[in-house]
Amino acid sequence: MIVVGAGPAGAIAAYHLAGRGYQVLILEKDYFPRHKPCGGGLTYRALDLLPFSIDPLIESSIHSFRFTHRFKKEFIRHSEQPLMVCIMRDRFDQFLVDKAREKGADFMEGIKVSGFTETFDKVLVHAEGQEFAASFVIGADGVNSLTAKTYLLNQNIRKGIGIESEVRVQEDQLERFRSMAGLDWGTFVEGYAWVFPKADHLSIGVGGPVGLARHLKHYYFRFLESLHMGDVEIISFRTFPIPYRTGYSRLQASRVLVAGDAAGLTDPMTGEGIYYALKSGKIAASVIMDYLEGTTTHPYSYRQRLEDEVVSELLSAFPLLRIFNSAPALIHSLMRKKSRLWRGFCKVLRGEVRYSQFKDKMGRYSFLWKPLIGLATMTELVRKMNFKAKKLKKA
Ligand SMILES: Cc1cc2nc3c(=O)[nH]c(=O)nc-3n(C[C@H](O)[C@H](O)[C@H](O)COP(=O)(O)OP(=O)(O)OC[C@H]3O[C@@H](n4cnc5c(N)ncnc54)[C@H](O)[C@@H]3O)c2cc1C
């Protein structure tokens, strides 16, 4: 097997395949440990997917959220139970690759895959003038996936854009965010700003649609200013795309499967992608093993499994996103006043409730779901049309 890309999707797929005794080669274009622009927020459902502990990598555990709406109306909500943990991606990704290597996977770094050729029973992977043959290829090569482009597996994927920075702050400010994440919403029609605490600094970032990319930097600095943190040192500042799947489409071409960001598997509500990378990497490995071990005669069950277990859930986030985008001020105020909404937010983060269950939670009012979504979609459209960059400057 060849795995292209050593992010969470590729490393976990390699871990499972190598663990079952298959010969696995991971080809990675960068040298590890490498920086990946990412908030490093890891939910409990992502942790549950890991077959080993990552305790030494945990930089902080989040119990509270500080919410603001357009930098104002601040309030903090607490949870008894931890909601998520924060990790640094360079250490986390290196750790996962090491685990795959312990199971017997080979890892070649600094090798950029440049193309593929199909033969009767193999895929030839071309990289840096070399050729590697595999029975199956898992394209886990991220948002700009060459694998997905080559095999036209990049349909129905839209891109958002995020800025991620690592910021050194004074000790008292670090203490202020010790087990607390920060969220600002409502400034853009879509998107939000966040703070995630790490052991000795903060990760601060903003995300939004590509169309608003030129305003993101301004939003970032306004957000940073609004945190009133005194002297800060920005140690890294990167812009990077985030893929969102907007519909069903092919995820496999014969012996080539795509997983993680390469398959556009990021939550359109929150931007969470590590969970979906781990989940799809694991499913890809399991489908290949089932086929080779004769449990299934159908190598194409990957699409079906991924649609059932991942894509359908991601797509059911869109109606909720419409509702949120149509009335962020209202949602912000309800989040402060209604414990039920806060508990729902916590349950989503903890993976205890799925987006697809929200409609059912309306109980006898579920007949109002469709009109509500219709109204929200129209309101969101009007908000988008009215959005002017000057509003951002006035915020
Ligand atoms: C600003 C920002 C903040 C985010 N914050 C969070 C967060 O807090 N929590 C969360 O869950 N998700 C977050 N995400 C999403 C998350 O980072 C991704 O969803 C996740 O990294 C996807 O993992 P992956 O393994 O699919 O791809 P990646 O982690 O992108 O790994 C792909 C790997 O493939 C390699 N590669 C690419 N092309 C080639 C090639 N041709 N040959 C060989 N190797 C190649 C790359 O070098 C890379 O190492 C964030 C994303 C952004 C942009």
Side-chain angles (χ1 to χ4, degrees):
M1 316 294 152
I2 288 181
V3 175
V4 186
I12 206 72
Y15 173 89
H16 286 289
L17 287 164
R20 194 80 78 88
Y22 291 100
Q23 201 186 342
V24 183
L25 172 62
I26 310 173
L27 297 174
E28 165 59 51
K29 74 173 165 59
D30 286 341
Y31 286 94
F32 269 42
R34 58 97 176 85
H35 180 82
K36 160 76 178 80
C38 179
L42 202 62
T43 55
Y44 277 83
R45 57 184 180 169
L47 281 174
D48 286 346
L49 282 176
L50 294 171
F52 37 75
S53 157
I54 58 151
D55 285 353
L57 305 180
I58 294 177
E59 304 255 327
S60 64
S61 178
I62 304 298
H63 280 260
S64 2
F65 267 82
R66 170 193 186 268
F67 294 97
T68 49
H69 176 257
R70 295 172 70 86
F71 317 128
K72 294 180 193 130
K73 298 181 184 161
E74 172 186 344
F75 66 91
I76 294 171
R77 279 283 202 173
H78 299 281
S79 155
E80 285 298 314
Q81 290 181 302
L83 298 172
M84 54 188 256
V85 298
C86 294
I87 45 97
M88 288 302 294
R89 281 297 299 275
D90 51 355
R91 292 179 64 215
F92 178 73
D93 290 17
Q94 176 77 66
F95 188 80
L96 296 193
V97 167
D98 289 345
K99 287 286 174 192
R101 293 177 78 183
E102 278 169 26
K103 290 282 174 192
D106 287 320
F107 177 51
M108 289 177 74
E109 49 192 334
I111 302 272
K112 185 173 183 180
V113 169
S114 52
F116 307 87
T117 312
E118 302 264 348
T119 68
F120 169 64
D121 59 349
K122 291 267 181 287
V123 184
L124 302 178
V125 178
H126 308 282
E128 313 285 346
Q130 303 180 66
E131 201 174 86
F132 306 89
S135 304
F136 280 92
V137 170
I138 298 179
D141 42 350
V143 59
N144 298 317
S145 169
L146 174 81
T147 319
K149 264 180 228 150
T150 306
Y151 288 93
L152 299 178
L153 303 176
N154 56 354
Q155 311 301 303
N156 287 339
I157 297 176
R158 204 178 66 187
K159 281 184 189 160
I161 195 102
I163 290 178
E164 191 272 335
S165 71
E166 312 287 335
V167 181
R168 229 189 293 281
V169 297
Q170 304 289 328
E171 199 53 45
D172 58 330
Q173 294 302 320
L174 201 55
E175 204 44 54
R176 178 179 159 210
F177 281 97
R178 178 59 63 201
S179 59
M180 181 170 81
L183 270 187
D184 177 76
W185 45 26
T187 301
F188 282 171
V189 182
E190 292 172 70
Y192 64 89
W194 43 265
V195 182
F196 287 161
K198 303 293 166 70
D200 61 359
H201 69 277
L202 300 175
S203 284
I204 301 181
V206 295
V210 168
L212 295 177
R214 65 202 165 97
H215 303 299
L216 269 192
K217 211 166 162 185
H218 181 70
Y219 181 27
Y220 171 87
F221 283 106
R222 289 298 313 274
F223 178 58
L224 191 60
E225 198 179 272
S226 77
L227 294 170
H228 302 296
M229 290 198 292
D231 283 346
V232 298
E233 184 195 349
I234 299 177
I235 38 187
S236 83
F237 184 94
R238 300 263 188 103
T239 305
F240 208 72
I242 309 177
Y244 302 103
R245 183 160 272 279
T246 54
Y248 294 101
S249 62
R250 287 184 330 131
L251 294 154
Q252 176 175 9
S254 184
R255 295 174 173 274
V256 178
L257 294 71
V258 281
D261 274 10
L265 304 178
T266 305
D267 185 327
M269 282 282 277
T270 62
E272 177 185 12
I274 302 173
Y275 164 74
Y276 297 101
L278 294 171
K279 180 96 180 165
S280 56
K282 189 177 171 189
I283 295 176
S286 129
V287 165
I288 292 173
M289 292 187 296
D290 284 352
Y291 175 65
L292 292 174
E293 290 162 22
T295 318
T296 165
T297 49
H298 207 307
Y300 301 110
S301 56
Y302 180 60
R303 176 173 179 174
Q304 195 57 53
R305 276 197 60 189
L306 212 59
E307 286 186 353
D308 291 350
E309 297 179 39
V310 177
V311 182
S312 57
E313 174 65 0
L314 289 176
L315 296 182
S316 51
F318 280 102
L320 294 167
L321 190 62
R322 299 273 108 81
I323 294 176
F324 179 78
N325 287 343
S326 65
L330 177 66
I331 306 274
H332 183 75
S333 140
L334 292 177
M335 187 65 92
R336 183 192 341 223
K337 292 179 194 149
K338 300 279 176 201
S339 294
R340 209 168 157 202
L341 188 60
W342 165 242
R343 282 200 300 274
F345 178 84
C346 297
K347 282 184 178 170
V348 167
L349 279 187
R350 290 188 57 84
E352 292 164 3
V353 66
R354 289 156 63 98
Y355 292 134
S356 47
Q357 291 172 313
F358 271 78
K359 183 182 165 197
D360 303 335
K361 291 210 171 288
M362 290 178 73
R364 60 197 169 101
Y365 298 109
S366 62
F367 69 94
L368 289 174
W369 181 251
K370 273 195 177 160
L372 179 67
I373 302 304
L375 186 66
T377 308
M378 270 163 48
T379 317
E380 183 195 25
L381 198 69
V382 172
R383 282 198 70 223
K384 275 184 186 166
M385 283 160 57
N386 285 341
F387 182 84
K388 295 275 187 293
K390 64 181 183 209
K391 283 192 179 166
L392 177 65
K393 287 182 188 136
K394 280 187 199 159

XYZ file of all heavy atoms in Angstrom, residues 99-133:
272
model
N 3.959 6.171 15.467
C 3.138 5.001 15.837
C 2.981 4.073 14.626
O 3.028 2.848 14.769
C 1.753 5.450 16.329
C 1.786 6.092 17.704
C 1.984 5.026 18.761
C 2.180 5.619 20.145
N 2.656 4.632 21.138
N 2.783 4.657 13.438
C 2.645 3.831 12.223
C 3.956 3.103 11.939
O 3.968 1.932 11.561
C 2.244 4.709 11.039
N 5.068 3.801 12.158
C 6.386 3.176 11.924
C 6.626 2.039 12.917
O 7.168 1.002 12.561
C 7.486 4.223 12.040
C 7.399 5.241 10.909
C 8.431 6.304 11.054
N 9.750 5.834 10.623
C 10.854 6.559 10.693
N 10.795 7.791 11.170
N 11.980 6.092 10.284
N 6.199 2.250 14.165
C 6.339 1.169 15.158
C 5.620 -0.089 14.702
O 6.022 -1.200 15.001
C 5.755 1.596 16.511
C 6.678 2.439 17.354
C 5.951 3.044 18.553
O 4.936 2.478 19.015
O 6.389 4.108 19.009
N 4.509 0.097 13.978
C 3.748 -1.059 13.485
C 4.382 -1.662 12.224
O 3.897 -2.649 11.699
C 2.303 -0.635 13.161
C 1.472 -0.305 14.390
C 1.009 -1.559 15.088
C 0.296 -1.257 16.385
N 0.081 -2.450 17.210
N 5.389 -0.969 11.680
C 6.095 -1.536 10.524
C 5.968 -0.734 9.239
O 6.509 -1.146 8.203
N 5.258 0.400 9.276
C 5.138 1.209 8.048
C 6.472 1.882 7.727
O 7.212 2.271 8.631
C 4.053 2.270 8.233
N 6.788 2.003 6.434
C 7.975 2.750 6.019
C 7.575 4.194 5.764
O 6.483 4.459 5.242
C 8.557 2.158 4.724
C 9.246 0.826 5.000
O 9.927 0.725 6.033
O 9.046 -0.107 4.197
N 8.450 5.108 6.099
C 8.141 6.526 5.958
C 9.265 7.191 5.164
O 10.420 7.148 5.572
C 8.031 7.148 7.357
C 7.777 8.628 7.364
C 6.747 9.185 6.621
C 8.561 9.476 8.151
C 6.507 10.553 6.647
C 8.322 10.844 8.185
C 7.296 11.383 7.428
N 8.920 7.766 4.007
C 9.921 8.517 3.245
C 9.489 9.972 3.211
O 8.410 10.291 2.707
C 10.017 7.959 1.814
C 10.682 6.581 1.775
S 10.723 5.904 0.102
C 12.010 6.885 -0.648
N 10.310 10.839 3.797
C 9.943 12.266 3.827
C 10.764 13.049 2.808
O 11.778 12.563 2.302
C 10.099 12.829 5.237
C 11.391 12.519 5.895
C 11.419 12.837 7.390
O 10.670 13.715 7.835
O 12.224 12.217 8.100
N 10.282 14.251 2.499
C 10.954 15.055 1.473
C 10.753 14.466 0.085
O 11.538 14.717 -0.831
N 9.680 13.673 -0.088
C 9.400 13.042 -1.387
C 8.022 13.515 -1.853
O 7.001 13.140 -1.262
C 9.357 11.494 -1.243
C 10.670 10.954 -0.690
C 8.977 10.833 -2.555
C 11.717 10.651 -1.726
N 8.014 14.318 -2.904
C 6.738 14.860 -3.392
C 6.195 13.987 -4.518
O 6.850 13.834 -5.552
C 6.952 16.297 -3.868
C 5.657 16.954 -4.277
C 5.866 18.417 -4.584
C 4.529 19.042 -4.927
N 4.655 20.438 -5.229
N 5.023 13.466 -4.315
C 4.395 12.646 -5.359
C 3.970 13.563 -6.507
O 3.368 14.618 -6.288
C 3.183 11.877 -4.785
C 2.367 11.229 -5.892
C 3.654 10.828 -3.779
N 4.288 13.142 -7.748
C 3.993 14.019 -8.887
C 3.019 13.400 -9.889
O 2.550 14.083 -10.797
C 5.294 14.393 -9.593
O 6.013 13.212 -9.895
N 2.721 12.115 -9.749
C 1.765 11.528 -10.695
C 1.562 10.042 -10.463
O 2.243 9.432 -9.614
N 0.628 9.486 -11.226
C 0.272 8.080 -11.060
C 0.092 7.451 -12.439
O -0.349 8.116 -13.376
C -1.071 7.946 -10.316
C -1.125 8.706 -9.013
C -1.504 10.055 -8.981
C -0.803 8.085 -7.816
C -1.546 10.760 -7.785
C -0.853 8.780 -6.612
C -1.231 10.124 -6.592
N 0.403 6.165 -12.541
C 0.075 5.411 -13.759
C -0.599 4.121 -13.313
O -0.144 3.481 -12.353
C 1.360 5.018 -14.544
O 2.175 6.175 -14.669
C 1.026 4.479 -15.916
N -1.672 3.755 -14.001
C -2.392 2.512 -13.652
C -1.901 1.369 -14.525
O -1.735 1.535 -15.735
C -3.888 2.686 -13.934
C -4.538 3.815 -13.198
C -5.207 3.361 -11.922
O -5.364 2.135 -11.717
O -5.562 4.238 -11.118
N -1.656 0.219 -13.940
C -1.433 -0.984 -14.727
C -2.605 -1.921 -14.406
O -3.516 -1.534 -13.664
C -0.098 -1.666 -14.371
O -0.193 -2.180 -13.040
C 1.074 -0.715 -14.474
N -2.548 -3.159 -14.917
C -3.667 -4.081 -14.719
C -3.996 -4.279 -13.229
O -5.131 -4.172 -12.810
C -3.344 -5.425 -15.397
C -4.310 -6.503 -15.029
C -5.651 -6.407 -15.396
C -3.885 -7.604 -14.288
C -6.549 -7.397 -15.033
C -4.784 -8.590 -13.929
C -6.123 -8.493 -14.302
N -2.951 -4.548 -12.427
C -3.232 -4.850 -11.020
C -2.457 -3.973 -10.034
O -2.386 -4.271 -8.851
C -2.922 -6.331 -10.730
C -1.451 -6.651 -11.025
O -0.787 -5.793 -11.641
O -0.985 -7.731 -10.629
N -1.892 -2.890 -10.534
C -1.083 -2.032 -9.648
C -1.303 -0.556 -9.996
O -1.765 -0.228 -11.087
C 0.419 -2.324 -9.845
C 0.873 -3.703 -9.340
C 1.379 -3.612 -7.909
C 1.867 -4.948 -7.365
N 0.795 -5.894 -7.055
N -0.917 0.274 -9.048
C -0.823 1.712 -9.346
C 0.649 2.076 -9.184
O 1.265 1.725 -8.174
C -1.650 2.553 -8.351
C -1.607 4.029 -8.743
C -3.077 2.063 -8.252
N 1.198 2.754 -10.195
C 2.584 3.205 -10.071
C 2.552 4.666 -9.617
O 1.874 5.505 -10.210
C 3.311 3.088 -11.408
C 3.359 1.680 -12.027
C 4.074 1.715 -13.377
C 4.044 0.694 -11.077
N 3.271 4.918 -8.530
C 3.282 6.275 -7.974
C 4.632 6.905 -8.317
O 5.682 6.331 -8.006
C 3.079 6.221 -6.438
C 3.134 7.619 -5.849
C 1.754 5.537 -6.094
N 4.606 8.056 -8.972
C 5.846 8.728 -9.392
C 6.186 9.849 -8.411
O 5.324 10.670 -8.078
C 5.680 9.324 -10.796
C 5.172 8.309 -11.785
N 5.976 7.353 -12.340
C 3.928 8.089 -12.282
C 5.263 6.581 -13.151
N 4.013 7.016 -13.131
N 7.448 9.849 -7.981
C 7.870 10.890 -7.035
C 9.363 11.095 -7.137
O 10.123 10.136 -6.984
C 7.498 10.473 -5.615
N 9.754 12.345 -7.385
C 11.177 12.717 -7.395
C 12.004 11.771 -8.275
O 13.064 11.289 -7.856
C 11.742 12.711 -5.962
C 10.892 13.427 -4.931
C 10.966 14.956 -5.016
O 11.882 15.464 -5.700
O 10.104 15.627 -4.428
N 11.510 11.451 -9.452
C 12.258 10.604 -10.381
C 12.217 9.118 -10.038
O 12.837 8.307 -10.713
N 11.506 8.774 -8.983
C 11.408 7.356 -8.612
C 9.997 6.851 -8.897
O 9.071 7.637 -9.087
C 11.704 7.178 -7.124
C 13.065 7.701 -6.695
C 13.283 7.499 -5.196
O 13.373 6.385 -4.721
N 13.349 8.591 -4.461
N 9.862 5.524 -8.877
C 8.557 4.914 -9.167
C 8.286 3.854 -8.097
O 9.147 3.029 -7.812
C 8.648 4.246 -10.532
C 7.321 4.014 -11.195
C 7.556 3.495 -12.605
O 7.720 2.271 -12.758
O 7.581 4.318 -13.521
N 7.117 3.901 -7.494
C 6.774 2.940 -6.442
C 5.481 2.246 -6.860
O 4.528 2.913 -7.272
C 6.540 3.654 -5.114
C 7.689 4.537 -4.676
C 7.758 5.874 -5.081
C 8.699 4.036 -3.877
C 8.801 6.687 -4.686
C 9.755 4.842 -3.475
C 9.814 6.164 -3.884
N 5.436 0.907 -6.715
C 4.233 0.171 -7.134
C 3.409 -0.219 -5.910
O 3.960 -0.620 -4.884
C 4.640 -1.084 -7.892
